[in-house]
Amino acid sequence: AQKVTQAQTEISVVEKEDVTLDCVYETRDTTYYLFWYKQPPSGELVFLIRRNSFDEQNEISGRYSWNFQKSTSSFNFTITASQVVDSAVYFCALSGRNSGNTPLVFGKGTRLSVIA
Amino acid sequence: KAGVTQTPRYLIKTRGQQVTLSCSPISGHRSVSWYQQTPGQGLQFLFEYFSETQRNKGNFPGRFSGRQFSNSRSEMNVSTLELGDSALYLCASSTRTGGNNYGYTFGSGTRLTVV
């Protein structure tokens, strides 16, 4: 079975603070993909990043960075110098690949509120 | 290029009725997946279609069904609606099953309220 846990239900920060969203996953697949999506109030899920299980390199994209550690089964997401526009619900998701392409399994999400 | 289009955006139905939701994927995308989002259960996978064939199905009762047309547009149907079916239904498209290098592209969803 596959599972994604986002222990932080809600986080509130003041603008310009750094914030890290945690994601822990469980899977028996040796090949899998991890994703982060952002859901603004409009409802659609906006793709942020995909990482495969063989690539543990950290990634930075502007103010966003991701830390993937297979040893701890974690794929954490950091926003540097947060802005009000970052306020949204963020979802971590997993898709196994050992038995073909399996659907996305989502965590419960973390609601981030950035206060001006 | 146009994104994933879901219609209608909002819907109110009565218990016992049935409902059909529509999803038009990005042009060239042949895979369409449906997810249900509720406050209690979060995002749950309903089913995925690729080239008019159902490729995967989630753990939902038979009241939930779907189909895909030759132009890749997809519909999902829920019969005999229950209050618990109230949710945001999200559709996602991809070039192939299981997502592409950039994951799935999601639509804005249809918010269904059952009263």
Side-chain angles (χ1 to χ4, degrees), chain B residues 15-108:
Chain B
R15 270 182 303 174
Q17 287 186 314
Q18 74 165 20
V19 66
T20 299
L21 312 181
S22 178
C23 173
S24 293
I26 290 174
S27 178
H29 284 195
R30 295 165 64 190
S31 168
V32 173
S33 300
W34 289 89
Y35 288 81
Q36 180 197 64
Q37 185 177 19
T38 60
Q41 299 299 317
L43 280 153
Q44 295 185 287
F45 170 74
L46 282 157
F47 25 66
E48 178 181 17
Y49 287 87
F50 183 80
S51 295
E52 302 178 66
T53 302
Q54 188 178 90
R55 295 303 179 100
N56 265 309
K57 189 177 190 309
N59 189 25
F60 278 81
R63 300 186 297 105
F64 291 82
S65 63
R67 60 177 175 169
Q68 187 180 35
F69 303 95
S70 58
N71 61 358
S72 294
R73 190 178 71 85
S74 176
E75 289 181 347
M76 68 162 281
N77 183 277
V78 188
S79 62
T80 318
L81 283 166
E82 301 177 359
L83 294 179
D85 297 332
S86 295
L88 179 66
Y89 290 88
L90 289 162
C91 163
S93 79
S94 174
T95 53
R96 58 180 175 82
T97 58
N100 59 15
N101 281 339
Y102 300 98
Y104 299 87
T105 303
F106 282 83
S108 296

Side-chain angles (χ1 to χ4, degrees), chain A residues 3-74:
Chain A
K3 184 179 178 182
V4 175
T5 301
Q6 294 179 256
Q8 305 149 307
T9 306
E10 294 190 37
I11 300 177
S12 183
V13 299
V14 175
E15 204 172 20
K16 299 184 182 176
E17 285 186 350
D18 298 347
V19 59
T20 296
L21 309 183
D22 298 332
C23 172
V24 174
Y25 63 91
E26 296 175 32
T27 180
R28 292 180 183 169
D29 286 7
T30 53
T31 302
Y32 52 89
Y33 291 108
L34 295 164
F35 301 81
W36 274 95
Y37 284 89
K38 173 183 180 179
Q39 187 175 43
S42 58
E44 69 183 285
L45 289 171
V46 178
F47 169 82
L48 295 177
I49 190 172
R50 175 186 116 147
R51 205 27 131 218
N52 73 55
S53 50
F54 300 108
D55 183 1
E56 286 192 74
Q57 280 191 336
N58 291 334
E59 177 146 344
I60 298 174
S61 176
R63 296 184 297 106
Y64 295 170
S65 62
W66 291 268
N67 181 269
F68 175 30
Q69 292 193 338
K70 285 179 74 171
S71 60
T72 56
S73 298
S74 64

Side-chain angles (χ1 to χ4, degrees), chain A residues 14 20 33 64 76 82-83 87 97-98 108 116:
Chain A
V14 175
T20 296
Y33 291 108
Y64 295 170
N76 297 336
S82 59
Q83 299 176 3
S87 297
R97 288 291 191 265
N98 279 25
K108 294 289 189 179

